[in-house]
């Protein structure tokens, strides 16, 4: 696995239990959970923006709650 410069959320005061983000050399964005760092998700910047906007706009709210 390549080495990335991971950035942790500033909302995590002790640096744990957060989402980490890194920019890959190919321009994709890499995401991982600090509790399970071996699992890495890759997305284009545009796809990540669409996802974040959908979550923020409520489009992905659970139908069960």
């Amino acid at each position: 696995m390549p080495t990335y410069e991971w950035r942790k959320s500033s909302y995590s005061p002790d640096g744990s239990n957060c989402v980490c983000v890194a920019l890959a050399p190919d321009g994709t964005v890499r995401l991982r959970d600090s509790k399970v760092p071996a699992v890495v998700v890759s997305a284009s910047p545009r796809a990540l923006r669409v996802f974040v906007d959908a979550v923020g706009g409520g489009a992905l709210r659970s139908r069960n709650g």
Side-chain angles (χ1 to χ4, degrees), residues 4 6 19-32 39-53:
Y4 298 110
W6 293 101
V19 174
C20 302
V21 180
L23 183 61
D26 65 0
T28 58
V29 179
R30 306 298 165 106
L31 303 160
R32 71 180 185 183
V39 177
V40 178
V41 175
S42 178
S44 70
R46 180 170 169 16
L48 183 58
R49 170 53 49 201
V50 169
F51 175 75
V52 169
D53 288 347

Side-chain angles (χ1 to χ4, degrees), residues 58 60-65:
L60 299 178
R61 289 204 174 107
S62 170
R63 293 182 181 167
N64 297 326

